Amino acid sequence: MEENMITVPKRIAKPQLSKEDQEQLAEFEVMQDRIRDRVRGVADRDQTGVLLVGRAGTGKTWTVQEELQELKCLWIYRNARMTSLGIFPTLQEHPEDVIVLDDIPTLANDPQALALLSAAMDGDPNKPRTVTYTTKNKQERTACSFRGGIIAITNVPLHRDPLADAVASRIVTHIHEPSDEMIAAFMRHLALGGIDHLTPWECLEVVEFVIAESRKAEYRLDLRTVPKAWRDFRQHKEGRMIRSWQEMVRCSLEQTGCPTLGAAPSRKEQKVYEQQVALDLCRRYPNDNERRLDEWKRLTRKGYDSLNRRRRELKEQGVL
């Protein structure tokens, strides 16, 4: 049968998740709940900020925004590009709000921006924190009183240097690294509700195609590919596409897919990542060595000795 033909069989019963998918979905929802707890901690003034680290397409931003909307608190969202020239006015204009900084790589390389963020998150979450800004020629100095919170979302850990360490020491770091099996289960879960005039069976057909093609090409599963694929399916279903929806989805994956192989981080990047994982686990499970080690193995695929090595490094740095 030709690929460009819609072949979804007519079914009356709603599709169901397999037992294995239900188990994977339950684990993924636990990880989402941890993000929600961190977001609530910032919104409720228990923490001045949180650094949420994890690869792209795992639902970090979506979960943060959903929880903030549920809490009905004052919050703003910034992404793409921002420097110290943008940070300070944002703090001034939103002194009581939760500020979400989503994947802004320029901040990590801007010492002045890191210094401003460090000042904004340094102190009691329930008391105002004074943030000062001095112009480059040191002729003008302004200050603001900030008592909101900051949620920074990033795909890669902060580099280890004095300024980045100062920021990291003032906030909670949370590592979000769900497995591809969890992501696949969540994709299927989303499909069960149907969307954009597509039936659950149609949505599920698209999801299964995305999963199969991603695995064939050895791409990590990315939740952001699913809504785009559904839109391709709908365009084809309505007769507004020349080629098949499968071909267009496959092309999109080829251009945006993140490979599981051949893109290993540098030794320095891997070390930084492992240190942040170790710090997060030590804070999350201070008295549960077994659970801490289990999570360490799942997130890094390394053993007891490597965890202890990273813990010693953190202690030498005065972070742990």
mmCIF file with all atom_site columns, all heavy atoms in Angstrom, residues 77-90:
data_model
loop_
_atom_site.group_PDB
_atom_site.id
_atom_site.type_symbol
_atom_site.label_atom_id
_atom_site.label_alt_id
_atom_site.label_comp_id
_atom_site.label_asym_id
_atom_site.label_entity_id
_atom_site.label_seq_id
_atom_site.pdbx_PDB_ins_code
_atom_site.Cartn_x
_atom_site.Cartn_y
_atom_site.Cartn_z
_atom_site.occupancy
_atom_site.B_iso_or_equiv
_atom_site.pdbx_formal_charge
_atom_site.auth_seq_id
_atom_site.auth_comp_id
_atom_site.auth_asym_id
_atom_site.auth_atom_id
_atom_site.pdbx_PDB_model_num
ATOM 1   N N   . TYR A 1 77 ? 8.231  34.935 31.398 1.00 0.00 ? 77 TYR A N   1
ATOM 2   C CA  . TYR A 1 77 ? 9.031  33.950 30.677 1.00 0.00 ? 77 TYR A CA  1
ATOM 3   C C   . TYR A 1 77 ? 9.957  34.659 29.697 1.00 0.00 ? 77 TYR A C   1
ATOM 4   O O   . TYR A 1 77 ? 9.530  35.532 28.943 1.00 0.00 ? 77 TYR A O   1
ATOM 5   C CB  . TYR A 1 77 ? 8.099  32.994 29.926 1.00 0.00 ? 77 TYR A CB  1
ATOM 6   C CG  . TYR A 1 77 ? 8.790  31.956 29.074 1.00 0.00 ? 77 TYR A CG  1
ATOM 7   C CD1 . TYR A 1 77 ? 9.291  30.785 29.633 1.00 0.00 ? 77 TYR A CD1 1
ATOM 8   C CD2 . TYR A 1 77 ? 8.935  32.148 27.700 1.00 0.00 ? 77 TYR A CD2 1
ATOM 9   C CE1 . TYR A 1 77 ? 9.913  29.824 28.848 1.00 0.00 ? 77 TYR A CE1 1
ATOM 10  C CE2 . TYR A 1 77 ? 9.557  31.195 26.903 1.00 0.00 ? 77 TYR A CE2 1
ATOM 11  C CZ  . TYR A 1 77 ? 10.046 30.036 27.492 1.00 0.00 ? 77 TYR A CZ  1
ATOM 12  O OH  . TYR A 1 77 ? 10.665 29.094 26.708 1.00 0.00 ? 77 TYR A OH  1
ATOM 13  N N   . ARG A 1 78 ? 11.236 34.296 29.737 1.00 0.00 ? 78 ARG A N   1
ATOM 14  C CA  . ARG A 1 78 ? 12.223 34.861 28.811 1.00 0.00 ? 78 ARG A CA  1
ATOM 15  C C   . ARG A 1 78 ? 13.041 33.719 28.216 1.00 0.00 ? 78 ARG A C   1
ATOM 16  O O   . ARG A 1 78 ? 13.437 32.792 28.921 1.00 0.00 ? 78 ARG A O   1
ATOM 17  C CB  . ARG A 1 78 ? 13.163 35.840 29.529 1.00 0.00 ? 78 ARG A CB  1
ATOM 18  C CG  . ARG A 1 78 ? 12.464 37.074 30.089 1.00 0.00 ? 78 ARG A CG  1
ATOM 19  C CD  . ARG A 1 78 ? 12.040 38.015 28.973 1.00 0.00 ? 78 ARG A CD  1
ATOM 20  N NE  . ARG A 1 78 ? 11.456 39.244 29.496 1.00 0.00 ? 78 ARG A NE  1
ATOM 21  C CZ  . ARG A 1 78 ? 10.167 39.425 29.734 1.00 0.00 ? 78 ARG A CZ  1
ATOM 22  N NH1 . ARG A 1 78 ? 9.329  38.423 29.504 1.00 0.00 ? 78 ARG A NH1 1
ATOM 23  N NH2 . ARG A 1 78 ? 9.715  40.566 30.192 1.00 0.00 ? 78 ARG A NH2 1
ATOM 24  N N   . ASN A 1 79 ? 13.333 33.804 26.919 1.00 0.00 ? 79 ASN A N   1
ATOM 25  C CA  . ASN A 1 79 ? 14.157 32.775 26.280 1.00 0.00 ? 79 ASN A CA  1
ATOM 26  C C   . ASN A 1 79 ? 15.027 33.390 25.194 1.00 0.00 ? 79 ASN A C   1
ATOM 27  O O   . ASN A 1 79 ? 15.039 34.611 25.006 1.00 0.00 ? 79 ASN A O   1
ATOM 28  C CB  . ASN A 1 79 ? 13.281 31.657 25.708 1.00 0.00 ? 79 ASN A CB  1
ATOM 29  C CG  . ASN A 1 79 ? 12.387 32.133 24.582 1.00 0.00 ? 79 ASN A CG  1
ATOM 30  O OD1 . ASN A 1 79 ? 12.373 33.314 24.223 1.00 0.00 ? 79 ASN A OD1 1
ATOM 31  N ND2 . ASN A 1 79 ? 11.615 31.236 24.014 1.00 0.00 ? 79 ASN A ND2 1
ATOM 32  N N   . ALA A 1 80 ? 15.766 32.544 24.490 1.00 0.00 ? 80 ALA A N   1
ATOM 33  C CA  . ALA A 1 80 ? 16.590 32.893 23.328 1.00 0.00 ? 80 ALA A CA  1
ATOM 34  C C   . ALA A 1 80 ? 17.859 33.651 23.699 1.00 0.00 ? 80 ALA A C   1
ATOM 35  O O   . ALA A 1 80 ? 18.920 33.064 23.787 1.00 0.00 ? 80 ALA A O   1
ATOM 36  C CB  . ALA A 1 80 ? 15.783 33.664 22.291 1.00 0.00 ? 80 ALA A CB  1
ATOM 37  N N   . ARG A 1 81 ? 17.771 34.955 23.936 1.00 0.00 ? 81 ARG A N   1
ATOM 38  C CA  . ARG A 1 81 ? 18.989 35.729 24.183 1.00 0.00 ? 81 ARG A CA  1
ATOM 39  C C   . ARG A 1 81 ? 18.723 36.802 25.230 1.00 0.00 ? 81 ARG A C   1
ATOM 40  O O   . ARG A 1 81 ? 17.743 37.532 25.159 1.00 0.00 ? 81 ARG A O   1
ATOM 41  C CB  . ARG A 1 81 ? 19.498 36.378 22.888 1.00 0.00 ? 81 ARG A CB  1
ATOM 42  C CG  . ARG A 1 81 ? 20.744 37.240 23.096 1.00 0.00 ? 81 ARG A CG  1
ATOM 43  C CD  . ARG A 1 81 ? 21.240 37.815 21.781 1.00 0.00 ? 81 ARG A CD  1
ATOM 44  N NE  . ARG A 1 81 ? 22.358 38.733 22.019 1.00 0.00 ? 81 ARG A NE  1
ATOM 45  C CZ  . ARG A 1 81 ? 23.620 38.347 22.170 1.00 0.00 ? 81 ARG A CZ  1
ATOM 46  N NH1 . ARG A 1 81 ? 23.919 37.061 22.118 1.00 0.00 ? 81 ARG A NH1 1
ATOM 47  N NH2 . ARG A 1 81 ? 24.582 39.224 22.365 1.00 0.00 ? 81 ARG A NH2 1
ATOM 48  N N   . MET A 1 82 ? 19.621 36.904 26.194 1.00 0.00 ? 82 MET A N   1
ATOM 49  C CA  . MET A 1 82 ? 19.535 37.947 27.204 1.00 0.00 ? 82 MET A CA  1
ATOM 50  C C   . MET A 1 82 ? 20.913 38.151 27.805 1.00 0.00 ? 82 MET A C   1
ATOM 51  O O   . MET A 1 82 ? 21.641 37.200 28.066 1.00 0.00 ? 82 MET A O   1
ATOM 52  C CB  . MET A 1 82 ? 18.523 37.571 28.293 1.00 0.00 ? 82 MET A CB  1
ATOM 53  C CG  . MET A 1 82 ? 18.375 38.628 29.377 1.00 0.00 ? 82 MET A CG  1
ATOM 54  S SD  . MET A 1 82 ? 17.139 38.177 30.621 1.00 0.00 ? 82 MET A SD  1
ATOM 55  C CE  . MET A 1 82 ? 15.633 38.570 29.738 1.00 0.00 ? 82 MET A CE  1
ATOM 56  N N   . THR A 1 83 ? 21.281 39.418 28.023 1.00 0.00 ? 83 THR A N   1
ATOM 57  C CA  . THR A 1 83 ? 22.554 39.750 28.653 1.00 0.00 ? 83 THR A CA  1
ATOM 58  C C   . THR A 1 83 ? 22.267 40.522 29.931 1.00 0.00 ? 83 THR A C   1
ATOM 59  O O   . THR A 1 83 ? 21.108 40.683 30.336 1.00 0.00 ? 83 THR A O   1
ATOM 60  C CB  . THR A 1 83 ? 23.419 40.612 27.720 1.00 0.00 ? 83 THR A CB  1
ATOM 61  O OG1 . THR A 1 83 ? 22.753 41.872 27.513 1.00 0.00 ? 83 THR A OG1 1
ATOM 62  C CG2 . THR A 1 83 ? 23.630 39.937 26.374 1.00 0.00 ? 83 THR A CG2 1
ATOM 63  N N   . SER A 1 84 ? 23.332 41.019 30.565 1.00 0.00 ? 84 SER A N   1
ATOM 64  C CA  . SER A 1 84 ? 23.141 41.812 31.783 1.00 0.00 ? 84 SER A CA  1
ATOM 65  C C   . SER A 1 84 ? 22.294 43.048 31.515 1.00 0.00 ? 84 SER A C   1
ATOM 66  O O   . SER A 1 84 ? 21.574 43.522 32.399 1.00 0.00 ? 84 SER A O   1
ATOM 67  C CB  . SER A 1 84 ? 24.500 42.225 32.344 1.00 0.00 ? 84 SER A CB  1
ATOM 68  O OG  . SER A 1 84 ? 25.247 42.947 31.363 1.00 0.00 ? 84 SER A OG  1
ATOM 69  N N   . LEU A 1 85 ? 22.354 43.570 30.283 1.00 0.00 ? 85 LEU A N   1
ATOM 70  C CA  . LEU A 1 85 ? 21.546 44.745 29.934 1.00 0.00 ? 85 LEU A CA  1
ATOM 71  C C   . LEU A 1 85 ? 20.064 44.427 29.978 1.00 0.00 ? 85 LEU A C   1
ATOM 72  O O   . LEU A 1 85 ? 19.232 45.325 30.160 1.00 0.00 ? 85 LEU A O   1
ATOM 73  C CB  . LEU A 1 85 ? 21.926 45.250 28.537 1.00 0.00 ? 85 LEU A CB  1
ATOM 74  C CG  . LEU A 1 85 ? 23.347 45.832 28.391 1.00 0.00 ? 85 LEU A CG  1
ATOM 75  C CD1 . LEU A 1 85 ? 23.633 46.173 26.937 1.00 0.00 ? 85 LEU A CD1 1
ATOM 76  C CD2 . LEU A 1 85 ? 23.491 47.067 29.273 1.00 0.00 ? 85 LEU A CD2 1
ATOM 77  N N   . GLY A 1 86 ? 19.710 43.142 29.792 1.00 0.00 ? 86 GLY A N   1
ATOM 78  C CA  . GLY A 1 86 ? 18.306 42.750 29.869 1.00 0.00 ? 86 GLY A CA  1
ATOM 79  C C   . GLY A 1 86 ? 17.925 42.213 31.223 1.00 0.00 ? 86 GLY A C   1
ATOM 80  O O   . GLY A 1 86 ? 16.763 42.338 31.649 1.00 0.00 ? 86 GLY A O   1
ATOM 81  N N   . ILE A 1 87 ? 18.880 41.604 31.934 1.00 0.00 ? 87 ILE A N   1
ATOM 82  C CA  . ILE A 1 87 ? 18.586 41.021 33.247 1.00 0.00 ? 87 ILE A CA  1
ATOM 83  C C   . ILE A 1 87 ? 18.161 42.086 34.248 1.00 0.00 ? 87 ILE A C   1
ATOM 84  O O   . ILE A 1 87 ? 17.138 41.948 34.930 1.00 0.00 ? 87 ILE A O   1
ATOM 85  C CB  . ILE A 1 87 ? 19.816 40.257 33.791 1.00 0.00 ? 87 ILE A CB  1
ATOM 86  C CG1 . ILE A 1 87 ? 19.995 38.948 33.044 1.00 0.00 ? 87 ILE A CG1 1
ATOM 87  C CG2 . ILE A 1 87 ? 19.676 39.987 35.285 1.00 0.00 ? 87 ILE A CG2 1
ATOM 88  C CD1 . ILE A 1 87 ? 18.993 37.886 33.401 1.00 0.00 ? 87 ILE A CD1 1
ATOM 89  N N   . PHE A 1 88 ? 18.945 43.146 34.353 1.00 0.00 ? 88 PHE A N   1
ATOM 90  C CA  . PHE A 1 88 ? 18.674 44.133 35.404 1.00 0.00 ? 88 PHE A CA  1
ATOM 91  C C   . PHE A 1 88 ? 17.310 44.814 35.243 1.00 0.00 ? 88 PHE A C   1
ATOM 92  O O   . PHE A 1 88 ? 16.541 44.889 36.213 1.00 0.00 ? 88 PHE A O   1
ATOM 93  C CB  . PHE A 1 88 ? 19.786 45.179 35.468 1.00 0.00 ? 88 PHE A CB  1
ATOM 94  C CG  . PHE A 1 88 ? 19.673 46.083 36.670 1.00 0.00 ? 88 PHE A CG  1
ATOM 95  C CD1 . PHE A 1 88 ? 20.008 45.618 37.938 1.00 0.00 ? 88 PHE A CD1 1
ATOM 96  C CD2 . PHE A 1 88 ? 19.204 47.380 36.542 1.00 0.00 ? 88 PHE A CD2 1
ATOM 97  C CE1 . PHE A 1 88 ? 19.887 46.432 39.043 1.00 0.00 ? 88 PHE A CE1 1
ATOM 98  C CE2 . PHE A 1 88 ? 19.079 48.209 37.646 1.00 0.00 ? 88 PHE A CE2 1
ATOM 99  C CZ  . PHE A 1 88 ? 19.420 47.739 38.899 1.00 0.00 ? 88 PHE A CZ  1
ATOM 100 N N   . PRO A 1 89 ? 16.947 45.297 34.042 1.00 0.00 ? 89 PRO A N   1
ATOM 101 C CA  . PRO A 1 89 ? 15.605 45.877 33.892 1.00 0.00 ? 89 PRO A CA  1
ATOM 102 C C   . PRO A 1 89 ? 14.493 44.866 34.198 1.00 0.00 ? 89 PRO A C   1
ATOM 103 O O   . PRO A 1 89 ? 13.437 45.248 34.725 1.00 0.00 ? 89 PRO A O   1
ATOM 104 C CB  . PRO A 1 89 ? 15.566 46.311 32.421 1.00 0.00 ? 89 PRO A CB  1
ATOM 105 C CG  . PRO A 1 89 ? 16.989 46.489 32.044 1.00 0.00 ? 89 PRO A CG  1
ATOM 106 C CD  . PRO A 1 89 ? 17.742 45.460 32.811 1.00 0.00 ? 89 PRO A CD  1
ATOM 107 N N   . THR A 1 90 ? 14.728 43.597 33.875 1.00 0.00 ? 90 THR A N   1
ATOM 108 C CA  . THR A 1 90 ? 13.726 42.576 34.174 1.00 0.00 ? 90 THR A CA  1
ATOM 109 C C   . THR A 1 90 ? 13.522 42.436 35.676 1.00 0.00 ? 90 THR A C   1
ATOM 110 O O   . THR A 1 90 ? 12.385 42.334 36.158 1.00 0.00 ? 90 THR A O   1
ATOM 111 C CB  . THR A 1 90 ? 14.158 41.217 33.581 1.00 0.00 ? 90 THR A CB  1
ATOM 112 O OG1 . THR A 1 90 ? 14.310 41.347 32.162 1.00 0.00 ? 90 THR A OG1 1
ATOM 113 C CG2 . THR A 1 90 ? 13.111 40.147 33.869 1.00 0.00 ? 90 THR A CG2 1
#
